[in-house]
Amino acid sequence: MSLKTMLTAMKGHFLPWHRLFTSYYEKILREECGYHGAQPYWDWTLDIPASKFVQSPIFDTTYGFGGNGLLVPVNTSNNEVPGRTGGGCVQDGPLVNMTVHLGPASSLARNDQCLRRDLAPDYAATYLSKDKLDTVMAQADYEWFARTMEGGPAWDDSQVHAGGHFGVGGTFGQMGDPFASPADPIFFLHHANLDRVWWSWQARDLGNRLRDISGPMVLQDWDNAQGGNVTLDFPLSLGYNGWDAKISDVMDIGDLCYSYDELY
Ligand SMILES: [Cu+2]
């Protein structure tokens, strides 16, 4: 599955869309599942370098989400996530018997399967480091901030966003699937932290950055080959999952009734 497939999946730029999505998920957890906690975030910078990655508390079998799948060998290195170490069903922790109903990719047909992980520590370390984050936070406008967070569709143009997806999902895990990735609860911790990075960046200059938005309507279409740039009026839709909104509705996390305990 290439990241290119994601190009048409979400319109309205990935940071605003995922802010709405993650916020809605938290709301549903409270209202339909009786959850009383907050949506946690995963500060991956604490789990880099690569030698620490697999030992992250996020993968703890008791307090975290369990760890890797068994190694699934492949015959070709074509389009493989570099340094992948697993690929099979999650072996331990609270999700060991979890059934994923959808995927792979965008099919809406029911397809029961296990939750798979394919941890790629070296890949993760390349894109989730403190150094990488410093580069992101130093960008002067939203366009370049988002670009250094998201990167492009090619492997050699990957950035922070891809680091969490493919660092956990590798080649075979749901986290590496542009459509099925929310099946792994780590998805929401990854996106909560991407959102925390965005809010941290906004908070350094709220006067300007509560309204600073740009970037392509079609994901990663940085040259605007398939559409123009988004504006504050651009619609965000979660489809049949819930809320419709505009980008202006999600620029201030106070409007969505949450905050972060710590900012970068
Ligand atoms: Cu993502």
Side-chain angles (χ1 to χ4, degrees), residues 60-216:
D60 189 85
T61 57
T62 304
Y63 301 107
F65 295 83
N68 210 1
L70 295 177
L71 182 62
V72 176
V74 289
N75 296 324
T76 168
S77 61
N78 186 31
N79 210 25
E80 254 201 283
V81 176
R84 53 175 290 269
T85 61
C89 305
V90 166
Q91 297 289 298
D92 51 25
L95 307 176
V96 69
N97 290 317
M98 177 177 166
T99 302
V100 175
H101 299 295
L102 290 177
S106 60
S107 170
L108 293 178
R110 181 163 175 164
N111 178 24
D112 288 356
Q113 60 202 277
C114 67
L115 179 66
R116 294 182 305 278
R117 297 225 182 94
D118 194 358
L119 304 187
D122 289 331
Y123 183 87
T126 306
Y127 302 110
L128 300 177
S129 68
K130 186 75 175 60
D131 284 354
K132 202 74 173 175
L133 199 75
D134 289 345
T135 303
V136 167
M137 291 297 291
Q139 301 304 311
D141 62 27
Y142 180 83
E143 169 102 27
W144 281 101
F145 169 77
R147 206 162 170 159
T148 53
M149 283 280 269
E150 188 181 10
W155 286 121
D156 57 5
D157 194 19
S158 293
Q159 295 292 352
V160 182
H161 178 219
H165 276 283
F166 295 106
V168 174
T171 299
F172 290 114
Q174 277 90 355
M175 268 292 275
D177 185 320
F179 295 91
S181 47
D184 191 329
I186 289 179
F187 171 95
F188 291 97
L189 283 82
H190 177 45
H191 268 283
N193 203 46
L194 294 170
D195 185 66
R196 187 170 74 103
V197 175
W198 181 23
W199 182 249
S200 298
W201 181 83
Q202 288 182 284
R204 290 187 185 186
D205 184 6
L206 274 184
N208 290 308
R209 293 177 180 174
L210 277 178
R211 298 183 58 79
D212 185 6
I213 196 72
S214 59

Side-chain angles (χ1 to χ4, degrees), residues 14-66:
F14 94 118
L15 285 166
W17 191 89
H18 283 89
R19 177 170 282 176
L20 183 69
F21 187 44
T22 308
S23 171
Y24 189 68
Y25 173 78
E26 183 176 351
K27 174 182 155 73
I28 293 298
L29 277 179
R30 291 168 187 279
E31 293 181 358
E32 296 186 13
C33 305
Y35 180 64
H36 298 296
Q39 168 61 49
Y41 57 80
W42 173 25
D43 183 356
W44 358 258
T45 62
L46 301 174
D47 297 325
I48 304 302
S51 57
K52 288 173 64 182
F53 188 69
V54 175
Q55 305 306 320
S56 166
I58 203 97
F59 303 124
D60 189 85
T61 57
T62 304
Y63 301 107
F65 295 83

